[in-house]
Amino acid sequence: MHTDTDTTPAPRGTEEPGRRVTTLELFFDLVFVFTLTQLTVLLAHDLSFATAGRVALILVVLFWMYGAYAYLTNQVPPDRPSRRLLLMLGMGAFLVCALAIPRVFDDTGVVFGLGFLLVVIVHTALYTRSHGWDSIWYGVPNALAALCVTTAGGTNGLVADGLWLLAVALQFVTPFVAEHGPGRRDGRSAATLRVQLGTLNPAHFVERHGLLLIIAFGESVISIGVGIGDLPLTPGLFGGAFLALALTTALWWTYFVRDEEGAETAFRATPAPQRWRLAMNAYYYAFLPMLLGIVYLATGVKKTLGHLTEHPHWGLALTTAGGVSLFLAGDAAFRATLNLRPVRYRAAASFLALLAAVPAVRFPAYAELLLLVAVLTGMLAVEARRCTTAPSVAEPADA
């Protein structure tokens, strides 16, 4: 089978060459993060558990294909005009999905589904450049998931929700289909495909997801401006804006000061056959609550800043505190997956952040922001004091 990339794993003990994220990939990520912005619009319109759950469903489905594209460009770099044009078409398909999100459960569900189907088709077409017809083992389940979402757009209520859940289930079984599919006609085994899927470039893969996270943080900063709107710039409003910025900055510190470097080290120490499973666990399953947490937090900030002196209702208090809690829970899972230490402080802080919603409803809205900032800074201070001499990556025996 002809391939455009060398899929031979690097010998153990040798340093793999690093590859930087291209500007086109960064452009792609900017378009994808617009879907997160649109999710905040959907949630801000109706702060309910039902809408929060539907926002989570949409993000699970969309982020699956974002991760597929991140993996794709890691193995099939957009270094040729044909690849660039196809990747741009994928960007346009994600834009269609984003534009349809605010009314996806009303009258734009079919538009969203067709856009998502195009996302899948472009991805599969590009992946044939490295894996040939082996791409069918993940292209077909992904297409079936997209068809479920499209069909859901023509229904409503529990039927639509059930079809979305079926799409998520299809996506979750896709890795097992790809990994344990039947033998190939050319005699290669499923183990060979696992090696192929595991030959990702650690530096590029880690940097790509880090850039996605920083763009998502940027969207949460934009929500500060959206929340303020045309309100008079009073000292109190500036104080609330700085608290919201401090909250986002503390989340940035939580991931970027130690986690990125440790993640790349962990990937380099992992043999190719296990590397793609590690990527799935760390950068999909663990990253999902981190991104969802940013969406919830951005929504909470957007709805809070215009009412800083009012007592938030339960829905708003839980959205803001739950966003921080989800991010920390995801980061704790991320660290546990990659065997980074410590984990317990972040898990404890996740619980404390969620508890912050309880007193928040009894005080003005800015008190919740202040309390969440205190939880995060306290967690980071304890880590800095107690883990200064601890290794950033634990030995396997300590897992």
Side-chain angles (χ1 to χ4, degrees), residues 18-30 66 69-70 73-74 77-78 87 201-212 215 260:
R19 182 165 65 81
R20 301 300 300 274
V21 174
T22 65
T23 54
L24 181 56
E25 291 170 284
L26 184 57
F27 192 10
F28 184 97
D29 293 354
L30 285 168
Y66 169 82
Y69 271 86
T73 54
N74 186 276
L87 195 58
N201 185 295
H204 175 274
F205 196 75
V206 172
E207 182 187 18
R208 179 75 185 273
H209 286 82
L211 288 172
L212 171 69
I215 297 171
E260 254 199 329

Side-chain angles (χ1 to χ4, degrees), residues 25-263:
E25 291 170 284
L26 184 57
F27 192 10
F28 184 97
D29 293 354
L30 285 168
V31 175
F32 173 76
V33 170
F34 181 48
T35 65
L36 304 186
T37 303
Q38 293 290 79
L39 287 174
T40 67
V41 173
L42 176 61
L43 183 57
H45 181 70
D46 178 26
L47 282 177
S48 66
F49 284 111
T51 304
R54 287 174 170 176
V55 164
L57 274 179
I58 296 171
L59 181 58
V60 168
V61 168
L62 286 174
F63 188 57
W64 171 262
M65 285 311 301
Y66 169 82
Y69 271 86
Y71 207 104
L72 163 73
T73 54
N74 186 276
Q75 298 194 325
V76 187
D79 54 4
R80 304 175 190 180
S82 61
R83 296 179 183 179
R84 295 187 188 114
L85 289 172
L86 279 173
L87 195 58
M88 290 175 184
L89 181 58
M91 289 167 56
F94 266 118
L95 181 63
V96 171
C97 294
L99 293 173
I101 282 175
R103 302 196 314 276
V104 69
F105 289 98
D106 295 324
D107 58 0
T108 61
V110 173
V111 174
F112 178 97
L114 292 175
F116 191 67
L117 182 60
L118 182 58
V119 167
V120 172
I121 292 171
V122 172
H123 173 265
T124 305
L126 274 167
Y127 230 141
T128 60
R129 305 301 298 274
S130 65
H131 292 348
W133 288 107
D134 283 333
S135 305
I136 194 173
W137 298 110
Y138 28 87
V140 170
N142 286 338
L144 290 174
L147 289 173
C148 285
V149 171
T150 306
T151 306
T155 61
N156 52 57
L158 292 177
V159 175
D161 292 340
L163 285 168
W164 276 86
L165 288 171
L166 179 57
V168 171
L170 284 167
Q171 290 180 334
F172 278 16
V173 302
T174 298
F176 299 97
V177 173
E179 189 174 4
H180 302 292
R184 278 70 180 174
R185 283 176 295 180
D186 58 7
R188 294 183 304 112
S189 65
T192 304
L193 182 59
R194 286 198 296 273
V195 172
Q196 268 195 335
L197 291 171
T199 55
L200 60 83
N201 185 295
H204 175 274
F205 196 75
V206 172
E207 182 187 18
R208 179 75 185 273
H209 286 82
L211 288 172
L212 171 69
L213 202 58
I214 200 67
I215 297 171
F217 282 143
E219 289 298 314
S220 69
V221 173
I222 291 173
S223 69
I224 296 175
V226 174
I228 290 175
D230 297 327
L231 294 174
L233 297 179
T234 62
L237 194 59
F238 274 119
F242 279 119
L243 280 175
L245 180 61
L247 197 51
T248 302
T249 303
L251 292 179
W252 169 88
W253 193 297
T254 299
Y255 177 81
F256 283 99
V257 168
R258 299 183 67 187
D259 289 11
E260 254 199 329
E261 183 179 351

